[in-house]
Amino acid sequence: MDKNLTEGAKNQVKGTVKEVAGKVTGDKSQELEGKVQKEVGKVQSDVGKARDNARH
């Protein structure tokens, strides 16, 4: 399993937590930061999947 898969999943979870915390506290900056981190995690996971598929 490619490391990007696990790191991407972690970034998605962290991003979701930040996004929700930003919504709850009304902090638009934190909410946006969470959304960005979540998207970065999705891309990172996609890269990991592609690398895994290339190996097999």
Side-chain angles (χ1 to χ4, degrees):
M1 181 186 297
D2 191 81
K3 183 180 177 183
N4 281 312
L5 278 170
T6 54
E7 290 299 316
K10 281 196 268 185
N11 274 326
Q12 287 181 53
V13 171
K14 288 179 183 179
T16 300
V17 170
K18 283 182 184 178
E19 183 180 1
V20 170
K23 284 181 182 179
V24 169
T25 61
D27 185 347
K28 294 291 182 186
S29 175
Q30 186 177 23
E31 185 179 345
L32 180 60
E33 185 179 326
K35 286 180 182 181
V36 169
Q37 187 171 8
K38 191 165 61 171
E39 290 302 314
V40 167
K42 287 179 185 177
V43 170
Q44 194 172 18
S45 289
D46 288 344
V47 168
K49 287 177 191 174
R51 285 185 175 177
D52 268 354
N53 289 337
R55 285 188 203 133
H56 300 292

